[in-house]
Amino acid sequence: MDRKAPTMPLRRHLLAVLAAAGLAGALPVPARAAEPGAEAMVGHRAAYRLALDRVRDNSDIARAEGVMLYEVVDACDGWATRQRFQLRLTDRDGQEVETTSDYSTFETKDGKRLRFTLTQTSQGAVSQRVGGEAEVTPEGGRVTYTEPEAKEEALPKGTLLPMLHTIRSLAAARGGTRMLLVPLFDGTSPDGAQDTTTVISAWSPPQPNSRFSALASLGSARMRVAFFDRDPGGSGGGASAPDYEVGLRYFENGVADELKMDFGEFSVDGTLQELVVLPNPC
């Protein structure tokens, strides 16, 4: 489950086919069975308009606006994704700061391997780069970073990768489960996995959708995902205040709308403006 945007300074994604296809070609994929539920996910391109929702009493933020472009391509043995995020913040003195992120991944359909790159800029200058590969095993797995420095980090047991987290969250919603607590690794931080708590609403049947006909015949569920700094003691998400939260409605094909991104000091609404369902090449 991606679609994260930054804490301050900008970090965390929230994903251009050529770049993502390049990632796919760089990651040999053994023949493994796809996670059940992967067949329901569709390749798509979605554009969201970002606008300020609210600010905390002690915040200096007066205005926030931007865009997020998200693309996921079915590469048959995996999912190639790219998320581009741009946000302009204006403080109460009228000063503006523009931050952007460009985040690409390739995740195998069995949810075991991830290749990732993230570039973030502030006022046109690169502020952070993160890149590398991760492999999940029954014991947890490891991340091998190439940027910002060459190093390895262990992953905790039970770690999920982003697309698999989405698939498992949708399966939980359909099965009546209301909470999912797991470590999540998405490649947006040089610090390894984060603990997450996903609170899930009841499954909703298909509803009329005059703007996006591709979604009108699909069920959906609303979710709120809280991200926490990893607790070495293993107590899981919820032991402290979340680092970041995102709310959204997921349709059964993996398309999301009605985003709300809460950075603590302020929150931003993301409204789906354009949606293109991509043909399945497999």
Side-chain angles (χ1 to χ4, degrees):
M1 178 175 291
D2 292 316
R3 297 181 179 86
K4 285 165 39 178
T7 55
M8 305 306 296
L10 249 181
R11 89 181 231 265
R12 306 246 175 237
H13 44 37
L14 285 164
L15 291 158
V17 175
L18 291 178
L23 285 172
L27 184 59
V29 180
R32 295 170 176 167
E35 172 78 10
E39 70 284 352
M41 303 296 99
V42 297
H44 64 279
R45 186 180 300 117
Y48 303 84
R49 178 176 57 82
L50 307 178
L52 184 64
D53 170 46
R54 62 174 180 166
V55 298
R56 301 296 187 268
D57 291 341
N58 60 345
S59 175
D60 193 40
I61 301 298
R63 185 176 181 183
E65 58 184 356
V67 295
M68 185 174 74
L69 305 175
Y70 178 82
E71 184 174 66
V72 56
V73 176
D74 189 339
C76 300
D77 52 8
W79 300 104
T81 66
R82 187 178 183 188
Q83 178 176 288
R84 288 165 286 178
F85 181 95
Q86 176 268 327
L87 186 66
R88 181 182 295 107
L89 299 176
T90 307
D91 66 19
R92 299 188 187 280
D93 294 326
Q95 295 182 320
E96 292 186 350
V97 176
E98 182 173 292
T99 54
T100 69
S101 69
D102 192 341
Y103 165 66
S104 297
T105 69
F106 181 82
E107 180 180 334
T108 55
K109 285 190 176 179
D110 61 1
K112 301 298 184 184
R113 302 186 70 190
L114 181 77
R115 187 172 178 91
F116 56 92
T117 63
L118 171 70
T119 300
Q120 295 181 337
T121 68
S122 180
Q123 299 296 79
V126 174
S127 57
Q128 185 180 44
R129 295 186 193 275
V130 182
E133 296 184 18
E135 183 169 11
V136 176
T137 67
E139 295 73 31
R142 299 195 68 80
V143 185
T144 302
Y145 287 98
T146 55
E147 293 186 288
E149 62 177 331
K151 67 173 185 176
E152 290 192 358
E153 293 279 350
L155 293 173
K157 188 174 182 178
T159 294
L160 298 184
L161 300 179
M163 284 295 292
L164 183 54
H165 186 271
T166 298
I167 292 167
R168 293 274 179 89
S169 298
L170 284 166
R174 298 192 78 158
T177 300
R178 294 293 172 259
M179 187 173 293
L180 182 66
L181 286 79
V182 293
L184 172 65
F185 180 78
D186 58 14
T188 61
S189 166
D191 301 323
Q194 284 189 293
D195 289 328
T196 64
T197 298
T198 303
V199 178
I200 306 168
S201 72
W203 187 257
S204 296
Q207 301 174 6
N209 194 319
S210 59
R211 293 195 61 199
F212 304 109
S213 59
L215 305 178
S217 62
L218 303 177
S220 63
R222 298 183 186 276
M223 306 179 191
R224 188 169 181 89
V225 190
F227 297 83
F228 301 83
D229 290 336
R230 178 69 189 157
D231 177 9
S235 60
S240 61
D243 180 51
Y244 166 84
E245 292 183 84
V246 59
L248 69 171
R249 176 171 59 179
Y250 261 127
F251 289 87
E252 61 188 80
N253 63 354
V255 175
D257 72 348
E258 299 183 8
L259 307 181
K260 186 180 294 291
M261 296 170 281
D262 189 337
F263 306 116
E265 186 180 352
F266 67 99
S267 61
V268 172
D269 284 328
T271 305
L272 184 62
Q273 299 293 299
E274 297 179 16
L275 174 65
V276 177
V277 176
L278 303 176
N280 187 339
C282 308

